[in-house]
Amino acid sequence: MGLFDMFKGDNTRNEDGMNPHFAFATSLLYMMGSDGEYDNEELGQLLAVLGGQSKGGTVYIGGNNDDLMDKAIKYVRKNSIDQFLKEAAPALTDAQKMCILVNLVDSSLADGEAEREEQEMFAKFLDAFGISEERFQPFFEVIVLKNDRAVFLDQNHAKNQPGFKVELSKV
């Protein structure tokens, strides 16, 4: 037991409709495709959160997640983001919504910056999930810190200055 016990897998399955695991995978696909392309970094992020590998340009998720991804891809091709959010939001708990949002931001920053389309897509998720920017701000700060590799490459970086202390904003 300990801090890492919280990282146990999601075994939720519901073949007949929207379920949290399906909503999670589908959310990532909508975000990845929001700027019109699926970047290698974004595919890597998808593999990291769902598990899997890439061989010869083909992504293999593995296990039960292959079926999950097949269904998610088909859903994304047939349904608008608005329809998806209308179906997904009521099927998710607050914790599931926050998990999705954190992963969406992380995915959008995987290639270095969130494109305008990705920012607009994220705003749709916030709105549909009933989460304010203010509430999400501390989570965003952690993800930005996680992805700010410049702190290792630039000793003059503002966050490397004497006396600077990383802290989360208060909600």
Side-chain angles (χ1 to χ4, degrees):
M1 284 202 218
L3 289 174
F4 292 91
D5 288 346
M6 69 179 76
F7 293 103
K8 297 199 176 173
D10 177 0
N11 295 321
T12 307
R13 299 283 184 259
N14 179 353
E15 300 299 324
D16 299 323
M18 190 63 62
N19 69 67
H21 202 216
F22 177 79
F24 177 53
T26 307
S27 295
L28 289 168
L29 289 176
Y30 276 113
M31 180 57 82
M32 289 170 54
S34 66
D35 61 358
E37 59 188 21
Y38 292 89
D39 297 324
N40 288 333
E41 295 87 357
E42 292 169 332
L43 291 172
Q45 180 71 14
L46 179 68
L47 294 172
V49 297
L50 293 179
Q53 57 187 330
S54 178
K55 291 182 182 176
T58 302
V59 175
Y60 299 95
I61 302 297
N64 293 331
N65 289 337
D66 274 336
D67 186 46
L68 171 72
M69 285 309 300
D70 287 343
K71 288 179 181 177
I73 290 167
K74 288 176 186 171
Y75 184 95
V76 168
R77 288 181 179 156
K78 292 180 184 176
N79 296 281
S80 71
I81 182 62
D82 295 324
Q83 178 63 34
F84 168 71
L85 290 170
K86 184 177 169 183
E87 292 177 31
L92 299 168
T93 66
D94 185 70
Q96 292 163 343
K97 291 173 184 176
M98 293 300 282
C99 181
I100 288 171
L101 291 171
V102 167
N103 278 279
L104 291 180
V105 169
D106 204 24
S107 176
S108 70
L109 294 172
D111 60 357
E113 68 177 279
E115 304 294 332
R116 181 183 54 78
E117 297 89 353
E118 292 169 323
Q119 293 176 34
E120 291 170 358
M121 177 73 67
F122 186 74
K124 285 186 176 200
F125 274 88
L126 280 175
D127 185 53
F129 288 177
I131 308 293
S132 69
E133 283 188 22
E134 179 182 71
R135 178 176 174 213
F136 192 76
Q137 182 69 32
F139 299 91
F140 187 80
E141 290 174 19
V142 169
I143 297 163
V144 168
L145 177 65
K146 172 195 173 274
N147 289 298
D148 187 3
R149 305 301 193 274
V151 296
F152 299 107
L153 304 173
D154 179 5
Q155 289 306 311
N156 294 320
H157 191 288
K159 293 178 182 173
N160 289 335
Q161 299 308 305
F164 181 84
K165 184 176 178 184
V166 175
E167 295 181 314
L168 295 178
S169 61
K170 309 285 189 261
V171 177

